[in-house]
Amino acid sequence: MSTRLLDSAHRLYRVADLDALVKQLSRHNSTRANLRLVKPFDDAAFVAEVEARLKALDDRTARSTLGYIEIGRMLLDRKERGKQDGSIPHGEWVPWLKKKFPKAVQRLQEYMRVAKFLDTADTEAKNRVLVFCHQGFHAVLQQVHSEERLSKRKPKPAPLLDDVEGEKLRILVGDCMLRLKEIPDASIDCVITSPPYYRTLIYPGAITTFGGDPGCGGHDWDMRSKVITAYGHRSTASPENPYFVRREFLPDEEKTIQFGRCKKCGAESCSLGWEDSPQEFVAHLVQVFAEVKRVLKPTGVLWVNIADTFSDKELLAVPERLVIAMKDAGWLFRSHVIWHIPNRTPESAKDRPCRDHEHIFMFGQRPNYWFDADSLREPAISKDDPRRGKRVTYNGKYDGNSGFGQQSFAAIREDGSRNRRTVWSIPKQPFPGEHYAPMPEKLVEPLLLSSCPKGGVVLDPFAGIGTTGLVANRLNRNAVLIETSAKYAGMAKQRIEGRANEENAIIEEPTVEAAE
Ligand SMILES: C[S@@+](CC[C@H](N)C(=O)[O-])C[C@H]1O[C@@H](n2cnc3c(N)ncnc32)[C@H](O)[C@@H]1O
């Protein structure tokens, strides 16, 4: 790019006329292509010019950035010419570069990468990259990396607008409070779910309806919306590196919550999780689970994954409030599993321990229910103790009635396994795509195996991207999923279908292996 052209590009950039800048750069490319036909390369002059430009461009202005990109273009040009005239045969480019510019090879390759991207990307992508010019070349390069990663992504699944009505899998798209009403009484073997947490994530458009008159004949909603300004970004991972998380700032419509009432019957509608108080949130969850109870067989259990929320530097005790409210509503609180998350994102607070767990609550409806404890067995710590499988006394103090003085090894089987304990250490599973709290498959597996018989039906009323359905499919159970977001429901469908098509998608249930 000539200095004059560079100046004009720079001027255009400053007035933020990116379209014009892109046109200018393209025009320059074609001019350069014509020049190439007539003017042979003089390598010594070429190297001297690149070096002079490199020397001159040492600041972080937009002008320098464009200058670096132009150097990248010159090199791309030289590479192409070398291929054509045989002066730099295929595979010889990097050695050539190392020989001519021994101290700047990596930088030059980066300039080429950006120049190549700008030559091939569409106008919108070019604009997204060029707006970083004023932050320096490195910022532009980062954006190019990010654009390249995005373009490699698998096409996004289409939103699911109609339900999926398969024999083994049903995906009902809509508000679970409404869709649950379509499920017959006592038809579900077990429920595994993770509702939205209190004031944690916004699921755009997810509205839950409570109360009112079912015969209202079409609600007349008086709805308000609120932009949660503190909720500024979303984290995204890429398929190539699912652990890499990119933060992107959200448009207002993705951080807007809604709430309101039907003017006719008083039904309430809200973004579940964004109620004014944790008490209201818990009361709403209890209403959802009351509907869940109706569809659950009396022998079925409900597993709920939930975590707490900080507000004004204190925990709101949402999980504890939920347990008490559920007990008050008649559920039997059967177990409390601590889900230890070894890879949980660290917290920066220095005045309290960093949280690395969430809660899994097990609720039943009556003392006897369907439960396969064997599916959960785990290797015992005292697995090699010769007393395993026996009850033993010590110091002659054993009182057979009270159990005092007894050391029971009876619960350890000959195979060295014992009943599953209540602290489970399971890492969060990275998901390539929007990162918004899917449950790990490894967490769903034991819940499903223990509580849903083979061939039975599991329900997840807050299905998200369908982890419950995915595991159910793999472990030969049927699944009914309810998800209000058409986008997430589409992702769930794609995930489950993708897996179903894999060879050996239905695998044998895992067995507890006796530890060595
Ligand atoms: C924590 S995520 C569930 C993630 C899920 N367990 C998974 O593994 O993908 C909660 C989900 O509930 C959905 N949701 C919120 N309100 C809903 C409603 N009224 N009915 C159905 N789904 C709802 C949200 O869109 C979100 O996908």
Side-chain angles (χ1 to χ4, degrees):
M1 194 189 286
S2 69
T3 316
R4 198 161 48 80
L5 191 63
L6 182 63
D7 276 346
S8 91
H10 182 222
R11 211 170 40 247
L12 287 169
Y13 173 71
R14 280 172 50 150
V15 295
D17 188 350
L18 288 173
D19 265 353
L21 172 57
V22 169
K23 270 193 211 128
Q24 188 87 308
L25 291 173
S26 328
R27 212 170 29 244
H28 170 64
N29 277 346
S30 50
T31 317
R32 206 183 44 194
N34 293 338
L35 280 176
R36 201 166 54 208
L37 295 175
V38 287
K39 200 172 149 201
F41 260 109
D42 171 346
D43 262 350
F46 176 77
V47 170
E49 172 156 11
V50 169
E51 277 176 348
R53 281 178 183 232
L54 282 175
K55 225 172 175 179
L57 299 169
D58 58 356
D59 56 33
R60 292 181 138 244
T61 59
R63 186 194 182 95
S64 285
T65 306
L66 290 168
Y68 292 132
I69 298 170
E70 177 53 15
I71 293 173
R73 288 186 187 290
M74 289 166 66
L75 291 161
L76 283 176
D77 220 23
R78 177 68 193 97
K79 184 179 175 189
E80 184 56 35
R81 177 84 71 97
K83 256 197 251 166
Q84 282 173 11
D85 65 15
S87 59
I88 310 175
H90 183 72
E92 288 301 310
W93 171 250
V94 177
W96 184 91
L97 207 57
K98 280 186 181 157
K99 197 167 140 209
K100 301 287 181 194
F101 303 96
K103 291 192 184 137
V105 180
Q106 200 188 335
R107 297 169 59 185
L108 294 177
Q109 284 178 317
E110 287 172 351
Y111 302 156
M112 288 171 71
R113 183 166 182 181
V114 173
K116 191 168 176 184
F117 175 85
L118 291 172
D119 277 353
T120 49
D122 62 41
T123 310
E124 276 181 25
K126 278 182 199 172
N127 287 347
R128 284 197 298 270
V129 166
L130 287 170
V131 286
F132 285 92
C133 275
H134 68 287
Q135 289 183 27
F137 177 80
H138 193 70
V140 169
L141 179 67
Q142 288 303 315
Q143 185 61 21
V144 168
H145 282 303
S146 164
E147 293 286 338
E148 285 174 346
R149 259 195 314 271
L150 279 177
S151 67
K152 276 189 207 143
R153 269 198 201 159
K154 285 185 194 143
K156 284 199 172 163
L160 185 63
L161 302 174
D162 297 324
D163 296 346
V164 170
E165 286 292 350
E167 202 187 315
K168 296 189 168 243
L169 172 73
R170 292 177 71 200
I171 305 179
L172 311 180
V173 189
D175 171 6
C176 60
M177 277 307 268
L178 306 176
R179 301 305 310 260
L180 276 166
K181 294 195 178 12
E182 298 164 28
I183 301 178
D185 293 359
S187 58
I188 300 288
D189 290 281
C190 121
V191 178
I192 298 173
T193 198
S194 174
Y197 300 168
Y198 185 59
R199 292 190 169 253
T200 304
L201 290 178
I202 294 174
Y203 301 100
I207 299 292
T208 318
T209 307
F210 298 99
D213 176 5
C216 176
H219 295 298
D220 182 7
W221 292 112
D222 176 17
M223 295 298 287
R224 314 216 165 152
S225 58
K226 193 158 127 191
V227 177
I228 307 291
T229 43
Y231 188 84
H233 65 268
R234 156 174 63 213
S235 300
T236 316
S238 69
E240 312 82 61
N241 182 0
Y243 289 93
F244 174 85
V245 170
R246 190 171 80 106
R247 280 157 81 95
E248 55 187 333
F249 287 89
L250 293 179
D252 275 1
E253 62 267 22
E254 289 193 37
K255 41 184 182 174
T256 301
I257 58 155
Q258 287 167 291
F259 51 96
R261 281 192 182 277
C262 169
K263 287 189 246 171
K264 289 192 318 200
C265 72
E268 190 193 343
S269 199
C270 73
S271 304
L272 188 64
W274 290 90
E275 291 82 348
D276 287 339
S277 68
Q279 288 88 337
E280 287 168 70
F281 169 60
V282 164
H284 279 161
L285 282 185
V286 172
Q287 286 186 58
V288 175
F289 293 134
E291 201 54 39
V292 160
K293 200 180 207 174
R294 183 188 60 75
V295 302
L296 195 56
K297 291 180 183 171
T299 50
V301 296
L302 158 67
W303 293 96
V304 182
N305 161 223
I306 194 136
D308 210 345
T309 305
F310 263 97
S311 174
D312 291 335
K313 294 204 76 151
E314 69 154 349
L315 285 166
L316 294 173
V318 174
E320 290 82 355
R321 289 173 199 270
L322 177 65
V323 167
I324 292 166
M326 291 286 278
K327 281 171 72 69
D328 289 349
W331 288 91
L332 299 182
F333 180 32
R334 288 295 305 164
S335 186
H336 178 181
V337 172
I338 297 292
W339 170 22
H340 167 236
I341 307 168
N343 60 348
R344 190 183 188 278
T345 317
E347 292 170 329
S348 55
K350 297 204 172 59
D351 52 359
R352 59 175 173 81
C354 168
R355 287 177 301 169
D356 64 350
H357 76 282
E358 293 188 7
H359 307 263
I360 311 288
F361 297 136
M362 177 190 184
F363 297 104
Q365 303 168 82
R366 57 185 212 189
N368 299 320
Y369 46 86
W370 195 93
F371 195 71
D372 180 5
D374 281 354
S375 69
L376 293 184
R377 291 184 76 80
E378 61 184 10
I381 293 172
S382 318
K383 61 190 183 315
D384 297 325
D385 194 302
R387 293 167 293 178
R388 67 176 182 270
K390 304 184 183 89
R391 284 169 192 272
V392 295
T393 60
Y394 61 97
N395 294 341
K397 286 181 189 159
Y398 173 51
D399 169 353
N401 293 324
S402 69
F404 174 75
Q406 174 188 357
Q407 278 186 315
S408 175
F409 289 82
I412 304 174
R413 288 202 185 145
E414 282 300 318
D415 65 5
S417 71
R418 66 177 191 186
N419 277 331
R420 183 74 168 249
R421 299 313 195 237
T422 48
V423 178
W424 300 359
S425 195
I426 298 171
K428 284 223 168 169
Q429 188 177 328
F431 175 70
E434 272 160 47
H435 182 83
Y436 71 98
M439 290 187 283
E441 289 172 62
K442 285 268 171 265
L443 178 67
V444 175
E445 244 169 49
L447 308 180
L448 188 80
L449 290 171
S450 64
S451 309
C452 185
K454 256 190 183 174
V457 187
V458 61
L459 164 75
D460 185 345
F462 299 103
I465 54 168
T467 313
T468 300
L470 189 70
V471 177
N473 171 266
R474 179 154 56 78
L475 298 178
N476 220 358
R477 272 78 173 167
N478 307 301
V480 178
L481 308 179
I482 309 179
E483 171 53 53
T484 191
S485 151
K487 179 169 128 191
Y488 299 149
M491 286 159 85
K493 177 172 180 273
Q494 191 197 45
R495 250 180 121 201
I496 299 166
E497 282 178 348
R499 176 67 61 85
N501 292 337
E502 276 173 26
E503 235 179 306
N504 303 324
I506 309 282
I507 60 162
E508 280 306 305
E509 291 177 15
T511 49
V512 177
E513 285 172 27
E516 311 269 287

